[in-house]
Amino acid sequence: MIARVSLEIALRKEFDYLIPPGLAGQIEAGSRVQVPFGARKVFGTVTALAEESALAHLKPILKIIGAQTMVTPKVLKLARWIAEYYCCAPEIALKSVLPEAVRKKKETEAGWKKQLFVRALPASGEFPKLPKRQREVWNIIEERREVLLTELVELAETTAATVRKLEDRGLVEITSEISERDPYAREYILPTQPLPLNPAQSAALEKIRRAMNRSEDRGLKMEDGRHLTPTLSLLLAGSQRGEGENPSSILHPPSLTFLLHGVTGSGKTEVYLQALAHALEQGKGAIVLVPEISLTPQTVERFKARFSSGKLQTLVAILHSHLSAGERHDEWHKIRQGRARIVIGARSAIFAPVEPLGLIIVDEEHEHTYKQEEAPRYHARDVAIMRGQMENAVVVLGSATPSLESYYNCKKGKYTLLELPERVDNRKMPHVRVVDMRQAARGEKGIPIFSPQLKEAITQRLERGEQTILFLNRRGYSTALQCPKCGYVANCPNCSLALTYHRPEQKLRCHICGFADAVPAVCPNEKCKNPAIRYAGLGTQKVEETLAKLFPNARVRRMDADTMKRKDDYRKTLGDFRTGKTDILVGTQMIAKGLHFPNVTLVGIIYADLALHQPDFRAGERIFQLLTQVAGRAGRGDVEGEVFVQAFTPFHPAIQYARHHDFTGFYEQEIEFREQLKYPPISRVALLTLRGRNEDKVKFSAEHLKRELEKNLASEEPLSWSREGGTTLSPPSGERAGARSALKDLIISGPAPAPLLRAESFYRYQIMLRTRAMSKLSQTLAKIIETLALPEDVTLAVDVDPVNFG
Ligand code: ADP
Ligand code: ZN
């Protein structure tokens, strides 16, 4: 037998190896193996088995890693799709589906942790008379039945030698066993029961449950193992049951994907929890994706409390970057062994080996952190939908501010829209006031941070003992160091970006590459040397400082990437806020999401239009989402909430629609703009970025690439398939690449300098491609890239469905 192996060294190729007799029957698709490659030994994943190879003199596989297939065939298939759709090397896609901690396989590094356990043995014969120390130790063991040796030694204030004496007497046994690291073992979580749902929640849950029941019947397979398309299987199912009369139900099979659009505080999580319970009842598992930033102890606790509050239960596994490598290793294996059935995690948890998979939930589906910004540049929400389709699992996307993509798919009938239009318990949406900062700035020196209205509102809250959240999407003290005389701005030497002034450490810092520099005492411009160099712009540090001056008695805390450096900072700051030890919390987007503090009655957004000037067609959408999310932090208790939005463009539609909590209004006007410019969701985008230290070479390479693209993609002969494209997730089969496979609707723009032309001392030029038929484009792109000749020091990155245009 032959195994085809994808190696973990970037080669974009698979290699055949012999399966030696000693490993026969143990290797299957998905096994991790070690193989010889030249003089080296490298790791790889078996992607397929075959009877024979076209090549002679194959080398044998050296060994198999791990007892269980690491990548299940289903996840393997998903990785394949990622490589194709996101146009990256298969080995890179494969690598990303296993956590680093699981892939590394030196037993010592991050394997199972073994520890010594002491266990009482059943009594036989007369109980011996023990010396006092041994007696005391024995009492503890007897009471606990089983205890970690280290713990026992600590508890009994004794030594291992004393415990060994008990072992010699045959009273206890000491064994080395795997001890599972449970990152939440120390927490005591009170179990919760399902809440009675309100009518909107019930209706949503009912539809999800029905789809889950239906999907159970859908697991029909063709004889050769391929899955039927949902349409086809429904057609078959329908005709078997004599229900095939309604053609519309055949053309539009009820979708397995839902968009749960619920305003902030409408009880989406309770719907998730009860849908998860249904998956368990069906004997299936589930994955819950949460943005990294919302994966707080508070969030984890809500899920654990419902499904695994007992000490020994492992039903809920958590995967996120704050776990130690060992913890991640153990959590992953709990899932692989089927002991954990519900997985909660950030982006990469979408690859968790849950089987069978009944449900995937993507909370805050509009979040841009679901997009991975390095290869493979996948979008976890879209991977979730693909995985759902492949495994017949129901997918629920949830958000108070759905992405235009998902809402558009509802309008097109591809997803089913579920709505929770009101907050639970009839709590009111907060009252949003927009403050025109152009007026507030009148008669002031410079631009004020606080308008009189916001100042007044904060004063009231302090008097009433209520809490305030202030939001500014920029950390640091001020944006730039600028000389008012000559106009000099302190720029990063590596990036085309101004440095940010950080006051506590008296440094200028680049937020792109991390470069840090001392603050000059005079203007560094040789001809100027003005000592009155000034700071322009505003960051969270300055907000904090100004607050201290305005409200000397208020207890203020700041929460941003600079103050949240250690693992525990986040928990501690939020804990103090929750228990009322803090009056005002100042922060960046870190505080915008998911927090639930009933005593917060005021939210202030310092400069709402900061992000409007970004070179990104989603700028308006981002502002709308941000304002709605931040505003949603107010008034989650009994007192109605109030929100002040300070803006220099108060009549911008994104701000006005957010103010009126009008998502559909925003959607309608925004989709029109996207339609006109053929931006997503009307089309899909691939962004090609060329990068190198020599600007001319980068520019030249970009122009060369553009010509190649035109030659290969923009043929005049349109093919018929492109008409129905745009939404196909899997590539249409049987197409030939090359000049003939023109993409009728393709728009090629650029090359143009990237908005941030220079980053980390590399120049970047971009070409943007827009088409409805992205799968097709990806396929062709892969071929073009394979033969593309670029100078050695220029690299090309392909980003399919980009969210970051910087
Ligand atoms: P969302 O995720 O939509 O912002 P949450 O799920 O956080 O909203 O719900 C807000 C609060 O309302 C939570 O404290 C939750 O326990 C509570 N809640 C949810 N559903 C109900 C219900 N049916 N009855 C009473 N309280 C509920
Ligand atoms: Zn820099």
Side-chain angles (χ1 to χ4, degrees), residues 437 446-451 454 470-481 499-503 511 534-547 558 560 586-588 604-610 646 648:
M437 287 304 272
I447 300 158
I449 300 175
F450 297 100
S451 60
L454 181 54
L470 295 176
F471 174 86
L472 178 71
N473 211 4
R474 199 192 273 144
R475 66 197 167 91
Y477 186 83
S478 64
T479 7
L481 182 69
L499 295 169
T500 303
Y501 174 48
H502 285 244
R503 185 135 168 171
H511 286 185
R534 256 204 299 202
Y535 304 104
L538 174 66
T540 42
Q541 286 174 10
K542 194 165 176 182
V543 175
E544 185 188 21
E545 191 191 272
T546 314
L547 274 173
R558 174 162 59 90
D560 56 28
V586 180
T588 53
I605 296 157
I606 305 292
Y607 293 159
D609 28 21
L610 262 191
Q646 304 190 134
F648 295 94

Side-chain angles (χ1 to χ4, degrees), residues 312-608:
L312 293 172
Q313 288 197 30
T314 53
L315 207 55
V316 177
I318 314 292
L319 292 175
H320 76 88
S321 62
H322 280 324
L323 301 186
S324 69
E327 286 168 344
R328 242 176 290 172
H329 169 274
D330 293 5
E331 293 288 289
W332 190 89
H333 279 283
K334 263 188 240 172
I335 303 163
R336 181 71 185 94
Q337 292 162 1
R339 287 181 295 138
R341 308 293 289 140
I342 296 176
V343 179
I344 304 185
R347 195 165 57 217
S348 64
I350 192 56
F351 304 116
V354 178
E355 235 167 88
L357 183 63
L359 178 67
I360 307 174
I361 289 165
V362 185
D363 191 27
E364 310 282 2
E365 65 88 25
H366 63 278
E367 268 295 318
H368 293 133
T369 52
Y370 281 127
K371 173 80 175 178
Q372 172 146 302
E373 293 293 353
E374 60 192 55
R377 294 185 168 78
Y378 67 89
H379 197 301
R381 176 197 60 216
D382 299 337
V383 175
I385 289 162
M386 198 58 203
R387 183 161 184 193
Q389 264 180 34
M390 285 177 173
E391 301 186 29
N392 259 308
V394 167
V395 181
V396 179
L397 313 176
S399 177
T401 50
S403 62
L404 252 72
E405 282 81 356
S406 297
Y407 204 76
Y408 180 76
N409 278 330
C410 288
K411 294 256 161 173
K412 293 273 153 198
K414 289 176 72 192
Y415 305 167
T416 306
L417 182 64
L418 306 170
E419 292 190 290
L420 305 179
E422 272 152 34
R423 287 187 158 182
V424 291
D425 291 344
N426 299 319
R427 260 171 233 148
K428 288 215 189 90
M429 293 301 281
H431 194 88
V432 181
R433 298 169 204 280
V434 179
V435 182
D436 188 343
M437 287 304 272
R438 294 168 304 184
Q439 285 190 5
R442 237 170 253 161
E444 298 251 348
K445 274 197 280 131
I447 300 158
I449 300 175
F450 297 100
S451 60
Q453 296 95 313
L454 181 54
K455 251 187 270 182
E456 171 61 26
I458 296 173
T459 310
Q460 281 174 8
R461 295 314 179 298
L462 290 171
E463 280 165 6
R464 295 206 296 252
E466 293 167 8
Q467 290 173 303
T468 299
I469 287 180
L470 295 176
F471 174 86
L472 178 71
N473 211 4
R474 199 192 273 144
R475 66 197 167 91
Y477 186 83
S478 64
T479 7
L481 182 69
Q482 193 170 25
C483 174
K485 215 162 139 195
C486 75
Y488 168 91
V489 173
N491 280 317
C492 174
N494 310 317
C495 311
S496 32
L497 192 74
L499 295 169
T500 303
Y501 174 48
H502 285 244
R503 185 135 168 171
E505 70 258 49
Q506 285 293 322
K507 281 265 158 64
L508 296 173
R509 281 191 183 284
C510 172
H511 286 185
I512 297 289
C513 72
F515 171 86
D517 203 357
V519 180
V522 297
C523 175
N525 179 353
E526 283 298 322
K527 292 193 199 109
C528 176
K529 296 202 167 170
N530 174 15
I533 191 153
R534 256 204 299 202
Y535 304 104
L538 174 66
T540 42
Q541 286 174 10
K542 194 165 176 182
V543 175
E544 185 188 21
E545 191 191 272
T546 314
L547 274 173
K549 280 187 203 142
L550 288 173
F551 307 102
N553 297 323
R555 295 162 302 172
V556 180
R557 282 288 271 283
R558 174 162 59 90
M559 202 161 152
D560 56 28
D562 296 317
T563 58
M564 299 292 119
K565 287 220 167 97
R566 272 169 316 155
K567 193 172 162 179
D568 232 31
D569 291 339
Y570 195 80
R571 186 192 303 225
K572 206 172 163 311
T573 307
L574 290 183
D576 285 353
F577 195 54
R578 182 185 320 280
T579 50
K581 288 187 194 138
T582 313
D583 301 310
I584 304 176
L585 190 63
V586 180
T588 53
Q589 73 261 31
M590 224 175 246
I591 61 170
K593 321 274 159 71
L595 304 180
H596 180 71
F597 298 109
N599 198 33
V600 172
T601 59
L602 174 66
V603 168
I605 296 157
I606 305 292
Y607 293 159

